[in-house]
Amino acid sequence: FDKPFVARNSVSRSFIIYRAIKAIYNGYTPTVFELGAGCGYLGALLISENWPYYSTDNAQAFYLYQNRLWNYFSNNELREILEFTSIPDEKKAKVVHIPWWNFFLQDMPNSVDLITCNHMLAEMNPIALKYSVYRMRNLLTKSDSIESGPPKLLMFEHWGGENTNTKENVFKELMNAGFRLIYHSSITKSNKMNISIFALYDNIYGDSFYELSNSVMNAL
């Protein structure tokens, strides 16, 4: 918007989950879906990795900022899905921005390897949370190569403020949808920053990925 802006804490905080994702998906090129990307700095980092990246956000100001930021990092290749329409060349689009109404009304994206949603799950309305968890489960189960491709995971840093919802209710909704917690650890001694990793019960990584995720994360 042609105005100088120096980002500090939100950028450094994004590096926490970014480093964790990079460590877990080392050697893979996962398709990522981020729910509630906020300032969009994690998205910018993942776009810089040239990973296929999708995102939606219900906050207008964040959405506009994400548009400008991600267009810059993707060399103006950001695809805005503003209309209720299918995307026949979806796999060719590396960076896709989905308004919340299209995320609600349409079955998109087709499938993903990683879902991340940082500092926001416990801030969601209970009904919106229930629907979003349902969609997360569907996105992680629709895959042509679940046994040979990247791990199918829900991974986030911090549950978010609990003014609207609670961490316990988020956990309950995830469990009810078929997710199980396979990793959770504090990154700092103050216990203010932590990484949580979930996999679906019927996913092969739900059993085999636990030890790997612990060894990789503890090495960060």
Side-chain angles (χ1 to χ4, degrees), residues 33-205:
F33 177 73
E34 184 171 14
L35 183 64
C39 293
Y41 301 129
L42 173 61
L45 293 168
L46 297 176
I47 291 167
S48 297
E49 295 290 337
N50 202 32
W51 291 357
Y53 177 80
Y54 297 81
S55 182
T56 189
D57 205 304
N58 70 343
Q60 184 187 48
F62 278 145
Y63 197 93
L64 292 172
Y65 189 69
Q66 293 161 12
N67 173 279
R68 298 294 179 133
L69 184 71
W70 296 341
N71 258 314
Y72 175 83
F73 276 88
S74 66
N75 295 317
N76 293 314
E77 292 185 1
L78 172 67
R79 179 86 181 268
E80 287 283 1
I81 310 300
L82 297 177
E83 299 178 358
F84 185 68
T85 180
S86 60
I87 343 174
D89 59 342
E90 179 184 353
K91 291 186 178 180
K92 297 179 181 179
K94 280 285 189 177
V95 186
V96 181
H97 214 190
I98 307 171
W100 68 263
W101 58 86
N102 271 347
F103 173 67
F104 177 75
L105 294 172
Q106 294 199 76
D107 194 18
M108 64 169 64
N110 285 334
S111 65
V112 298
D113 303 307
L114 167 68
I115 296 174
T116 186
C117 39
N118 305 288
H119 298 262
M120 52 80 66
L121 286 175
E123 299 175 7
M124 298 184 75
N125 173 279
I127 297 175
L129 172 68
K130 187 182 291 289
Y131 175 79
S132 297
V133 169
Y134 166 80
R135 288 295 307 278
M136 290 180 199
R137 182 194 67 194
N138 287 354
L139 286 171
L140 290 176
T141 54
K142 295 188 300 181
S143 174
D144 297 329
S145 57
I146 193 167
E147 295 186 0
S148 60
K152 304 287 182 178
L153 301 172
L154 166 63
M155 188 173 176
F156 56 87
E157 190 261 319
H158 206 281
W159 302 75
E162 298 183 66
N163 295 328
T164 306
N165 215 320
T166 65
K167 182 168 63 176
E168 289 74 18
N169 188 54
V170 174
F171 192 85
K172 181 185 75 173
E173 293 292 351
L174 288 169
M175 296 294 285
N176 289 342
F179 285 94
R180 65 168 143 184
L181 183 67
I182 62 172
Y183 180 87
H184 176 77
S185 179
S186 173
I187 298 298
T188 67
K189 293 181 180 179
S190 63
N191 202 33
K192 293 182 179 179
M193 293 180 272
N194 52 67
I195 299 290
S196 299
I197 305 176
F198 287 81
L200 291 168
Y201 273 100
D202 54 357
N203 189 307
I204 58 173
Y205 299 104

